[in-house]
Amino acid sequence: MDTLDPLRYPVGRLPRDNSPLPANEREAILTIFESTPGTIRSLVSGLTDAQLDTPYRPGGWTIRQVVHHVPDSHINAYVRMKLAATEDAPVIRTYAEQLWAELPEAKSAPIAMSLDLLDGLHRRWVAFLRGLDEAEFRKTFVHPEWGPVTLDGALRMYGWHCRHHTAHINLGIAAGA
């Protein structure tokens, strides 16, 4: 029986589906990519350092760590997708996201730098993806743990990732951050 923790997975589990996305679903995900930087910026606007340093769930990251994590993760995703578009099924590197979240800047740096990075990154990412043709979304990168991931499969995952961490920030705010 799946005992999904709604605080850890507020929008459900990460989808792993490499099937082709219909154009309207792909566009809906790109719209999520476009709106996420502004949504996150709006959610955290006006939060104090004490609020930013409040975990969104017991044992979870602080809101500050989540804000810094999203561009860390999305930079990796952007590079993976560009590699897939330009190489033949490249094997990508993973990164230790838990350790990145414990680095000093992820735990204490002002969030404005990550909000600005996320904004520019998402504008560039969406421009790149909107420039691809249908066949290019079937190109793959190879993840060492998951195996081949199509660009459509990666789109699904990172559309989820945007919603997942936006929900975490909302949980932190609702919990009194």
Side-chain angles (χ1 to χ4, degrees):
M1 180 169 120
D2 188 6
T3 56
L4 187 66
D5 178 352
L7 294 178
R8 188 169 182 187
Y9 298 104
V11 298
R13 291 205 190 272
L14 175 69
R16 297 239 175 85
D17 178 355
N18 280 323
S19 65
L21 279 165
N24 64 325
E25 288 181 34
R26 188 178 297 127
E27 186 56 35
I29 294 169
L30 291 175
T31 299
I32 290 169
F33 281 21
E34 286 177 319
S35 66
T36 294
T39 299
I40 291 175
R41 186 180 296 275
S42 176
L43 287 171
V44 299
S45 175
L47 294 181
T48 66
D49 281 337
Q51 290 170 312
L52 290 169
D53 294 332
T54 300
Y56 68 87
R57 68 176 172 87
W61 289 339
T62 65
I63 294 172
R64 182 185 311 274
Q65 285 172 296
V66 172
V67 171
H68 290 308
H69 161 74
V70 174
D72 284 347
S73 175
H74 292 188
I75 286 170
N76 277 281
Y78 172 73
V79 169
R80 291 169 180 178
M81 293 171 102
K82 297 249 331 198
L83 288 169
T86 59
E87 298 178 16
D88 185 24
V91 176
I92 56 93
R93 287 193 54 171
T94 60
Y95 74 105
E97 68 178 38
Q98 293 291 348
L99 297 177
W100 285 35
E102 294 300 322
L103 291 170
E105 108 285 354
K107 292 184 82 169
S108 62
I111 60 171
M113 68 176 95
S114 284
L115 294 171
D116 292 345
L117 177 59
L118 189 66
D119 184 55
L121 174 63
H122 274 236
R123 284 194 317 265
R124 179 84 185 267
W125 200 5
V126 169
F128 155 62
L129 292 168
R130 284 211 169 110
L132 298 179
D133 65 35
E134 187 70 28
E136 289 173 300
F137 285 97
R138 286 163 186 66
K139 290 185 173 186
T140 63
F141 59 81
V142 179
H143 189 284
E145 297 164 10
W146 306 334
V149 178
T150 64
L151 290 185
D152 273 338
L155 270 171
R156 279 186 183 90
M157 286 192 277
Y158 286 94
W160 171 89
H161 195 257
C162 291
R163 294 181 305 104
H164 175 71
H165 285 306
T166 299
H168 284 156
I169 294 167
N170 273 316
L171 285 169
I173 292 167

